[in-house]
Amino acid sequence: MKPLREAPPGGRASPANEDASTDTGADAGEVAVADAGHWTPALSRSVMLRHDRVRGTDLLLMPERVVVLRGSAGAVLRLCDGRREVGAIVAELAERFPDESGASVATEVPEFLGRLREEGWIR
């Protein structure tokens, strides 16, 4: 799952800057999956999730930075309210998107959230 693309300071995402998420390797994903049971993710204080009607996509807005979310990343982050644990988020997404493989959602969502946690965008 590569649902992020960072927009340059001018605010327009370019194809040359296709993927802002960094590949943190298998170890980071394994930590996120192991930690997933008791973690209740929420956006960091300086991060806002907004929908851009012009682009028809969700954005993470931060001081001096905009991250364009692709695919189901916005749906995942809307569930990160600080009350739901990662397991509950995975269960709800598996129910919302029944076409996706349950195993895929159970693996990709915790890894995605782990990467965002490492970036400091969620806590």
Side-chain angles (χ1 to χ4, degrees):
M1 178 194 288
K2 293 184 180 180
L4 301 177
R5 184 175 59 197
E6 188 170 344
R12 295 183 60 183
S14 66
N17 197 2
E18 183 66 24
D19 188 13
S21 63
T22 56
D23 184 10
T24 56
D27 292 336
E30 290 170 9
V31 171
V33 172
D35 189 28
H38 302 289
W39 177 39
T40 55
L43 292 176
S44 294
R45 286 184 174 88
S46 62
V47 178
M48 294 187 302
L49 176 63
R50 294 289 185 259
H51 183 75
D52 182 353
R53 289 181 283 166
V54 174
R55 292 183 185 150
T57 190
D58 293 311
L59 306 170
L60 280 181
L61 304 176
M62 296 169 269
E64 300 182 24
R65 187 179 224 180
V66 174
V67 178
V68 178
L69 302 174
R70 295 183 296 168
S72 58
V76 173
L77 289 175
R78 279 190 182 78
L79 296 175
C80 295
D81 56 8
R83 294 186 306 255
R84 293 181 181 98
E85 291 184 346
V86 174
I89 292 170
V90 168
E92 186 161 337
L93 289 169
E95 187 176 305
R96 277 190 198 179
F97 304 105
D99 295 339
E100 299 292 322
S101 166
S104 171
V105 171
T107 303
E108 290 181 8
V109 169
E111 289 176 2
F112 169 67
L113 293 175
R115 287 194 308 267
L116 269 63
R117 187 182 201 182
E118 287 178 0
E119 291 288 336
W121 300 344
I122 59 176
R123 52 186 163 89

